[in-house]
Amino acid sequence: MLSAFTCLFLLFPEQVKLIDPYCSIVEFLQMTLDPPVYETIRNAIIVLQDVGALTHDSMLTELGEKLGALPVHPSTGKMLFFAILMNCLDPALTLACAADYRDPFLLPMAPDERKRAAAAKAELASLYGGHGDQLTVVAAFEC
């Protein structure tokens, strides 16, 4: 079982770089009471590099500094920053909130009700000209 402190830094390892830009994330987390498995830390670092929060030599980028200030997953934070730039923050905020909860669309057990539910979900998605789950969630929220 990981300590709450370790979980916090595992979810937001860019916070380590905000504290000390030259500190190794792996070394820092290995000093915690319940250090996580190396592969878990490595995977978190890879996610941060893919998002653009860390360089390949694990230095914090300007984007990483901004993402470290947000209390959300770095991918969600990056989505919100891009949403601001593209003037579509409202639907992005809806998606960010919906991502933390279970799927709002439950399929009934009866076959005829399943077909009706699937048709209703498709109709919601089509309101925004698409068929994706994200468009369906935004349309459902706005309706």
Side-chain angles (χ1 to χ4, degrees), residues 10-102:
L10 200 52
L11 290 173
F12 305 105
E14 72 273 15
Q15 299 286 332
V16 173
K17 290 296 186 175
L18 286 174
I19 295 169
D20 182 0
Y22 301 103
C23 178
S24 165
I25 295 171
V26 175
E27 289 174 11
F28 182 87
L29 290 175
Q30 291 301 323
M31 293 186 295
T32 60
L33 292 176
D34 297 316
V37 179
Y38 173 76
E39 289 79 21
T40 306
I41 300 170
R42 188 194 62 183
N43 290 340
I45 291 171
I46 289 171
V47 167
L48 290 173
Q49 289 172 337
D50 288 346
V51 169
L54 290 178
T55 63
H56 287 291
D57 56 349
S58 293
M59 294 303 293
L60 194 64
T61 65
E62 188 175 343
L63 175 62
E65 289 178 25
K66 304 292 186 225
L67 292 174
L70 297 177
V72 297
H73 189 277
S75 298
T76 303
K78 186 174 180 178
M79 175 186 70
L80 294 175
F81 284 138
F82 274 98
I84 292 168
L85 292 173
M86 301 186 78
N87 199 24
C88 59
L89 184 59
D90 286 346
L93 287 171
T94 301
L95 291 175
C97 292
D100 281 347
Y101 296 96
R102 62 185 167 96

